[in-house]
Amino acid sequence: MGTAQSTAGSPGPDAGSPRPGPPALAPGAAVDPGDATPDAALPGDTSTPGTSLPEDALVLGMDVGGTTMKGEITDAAGMVLTAAVTATPQGEAAFEAMGALGDRLLAELTMEQRGRVARAAVLLPGIVDHVRSIAVFSSNVGWRDVHIGDRFIERWHMPVLIEHDVAVAGWAEWRYGAGRDHDNVCVVILGTGISGTLSVGGRLVRSEYGQTGEYGHIPVRHADGLRCPCGNIGCVETVASGASIARAYSRRTGAETDSAADVFALLDTDPDAKAVVDDAISALADGLLGIIHAACPQLIILGGGLAGAGAALTEPLHRTIAERLRIVPAPRVVLGEFGARAGLAGAALFARRGALT
């Protein structure tokens, strides 16, 4: 802790050029720097939505997951000054843990460094109303309609942006990772669940309430599929998520399997493993076909834990998609550049840029 290290894959301060987009500053973030404590003076005008920070500013980024929450304070070059990880408590107690994690990160800085921390970004799972600063719902963590408001702003004495974790991770991969220099990109985050983002014509597509792509809940096995926790039958997630692949292999063989990675490791020697993975890739391809026909993305970027399978996932997925397309060209399927760090890297970039532009 406290030892600076380079963030792999993090772009420098000049990476990319901003595109116009909607403001995403959390309500209440317009804090007068004069109200901050003396050792937390804010450099530059950080209160205007969408304003990029000066290059000497530091940012606090936090990525909250169902099991752990991770935080870092970084500079404009992506250098990590301090980092920490803590368990995510269930329910509203998670928000006190977020506050304490931020306190811990800030306390590890020198007074001079603390005075340069200009903005924070906190990424939350589930359904997030970033405009009204409300954590609407998370089934994994167990909160509902938690009004975040100014709690972090008042605690850390700086503007704090609140956003959806996948929205920011997908935006970071598109703008600064594997999708940079492309205007039409679909990012798919594959893990316990499946979700992602879609960028069309150089803009991130979002619903009125801020959601991005719930790709995992596109039904693809209507007649004989498994029931999804969402209530539907045969969603992509019931076949192609990491947990579903592991469960399918166990059902097929009777062997206990800890993870999808174990199943992918058996592809060359175990016909049952190959059958399960082929089925998952087929379901994922079916789920993406409608998106491809509607938006014609140039790239499909795979992120999340399942993307660790590498070419064993990207190559057959591209091949399967290409076999099923007749009218539109098959997009390239590539791995994300930020990997498991997409959330943290995205939080830092979001805090620095001030908006998902």
Side-chain angles (χ1 to χ4, degrees), residues 187-261:
V187 179
V188 185
I189 307 297
L190 300 160
T192 304
I194 298 174
S195 56
T197 59
L198 182 64
S199 304
V200 178
R203 295 182 66 87
L204 186 67
V205 177
R206 305 192 72 176
S207 73
E208 182 180 357
Y209 52 92
Q211 287 300 96
T212 51
E214 293 293 344
Y215 305 144
H217 295 291
I218 298 172
V220 291
R221 302 288 169 82
H222 308 273
D224 57 354
L226 299 173
R227 183 169 293 279
C228 180
C230 77
N232 280 338
I233 301 293
C235 292
V236 171
E237 218 167 84
T238 65
V239 188
S241 71
S244 295
I245 289 171
R247 285 194 295 266
Y249 183 80
S250 294
R251 284 195 304 270
R252 187 180 181 99
T253 65
E256 288 298 319
T257 307
D258 292 332
S259 69

Side-chain angles (χ1 to χ4, degrees), residues 43-227:
D45 178 10
T46 63
S47 63
T48 303
T51 300
S52 291
L53 298 179
E55 290 192 14
D56 63 343
L58 305 177
V59 296
L60 188 163
M62 190 175 298
D63 184 18
V64 180
T67 304
T68 63
M69 58 181 74
K70 308 175 183 69
E72 291 179 346
I73 293 175
T74 56
D75 67 11
M79 191 74 71
V80 179
L81 295 149
T82 182
V85 180
T86 190
T88 303
Q90 284 291 298
E92 291 194 35
F95 293 91
E96 174 58 31
M98 295 174 212
L101 179 59
D103 294 347
R104 175 180 169 187
L105 293 168
L106 292 167
E108 292 181 1
L109 300 177
T110 66
M111 183 173 292
E112 185 274 335
Q113 290 171 332
R114 175 63 184 90
R116 290 162 53 205
V117 183
R119 194 185 283 151
V122 178
L123 311 187
L124 304 176
I127 299 174
V128 181
D129 185 338
H130 69 283
V131 175
R132 295 187 297 160
S133 194
I134 297 174
V136 178
F137 178 68
S138 171
S139 58
N140 288 334
V141 187
W143 65 55
R144 183 183 291 276
D145 294 328
V146 178
H147 186 260
I148 300 164
D150 295 347
R151 69 174 74 191
F152 297 137
I153 296 168
E154 293 174 351
R155 184 165 186 161
W156 299 333
H157 303 288
M158 71 179 82
V160 180
L161 308 176
I162 303 297
E163 256 296 358
H164 186 256
D165 55 354
V166 171
V168 175
W171 166 79
E173 278 292 359
W174 161 52
R175 288 283 278 117
Y176 303 101
R180 61 184 177 276
D181 301 324
H182 293 82
D183 284 341
N184 301 286
V185 173
C186 176
V187 179
V188 185
I189 307 297
L190 300 160
T192 304
I194 298 174
S195 56
T197 59
L198 182 64
S199 304
V200 178
R203 295 182 66 87
L204 186 67
V205 177
R206 305 192 72 176
S207 73
E208 182 180 357
Y209 52 92
Q211 287 300 96
T212 51
E214 293 293 344
Y215 305 144
H217 295 291
I218 298 172
V220 291
R221 302 288 169 82
H222 308 273
D224 57 354
L226 299 173
R227 183 169 293 279

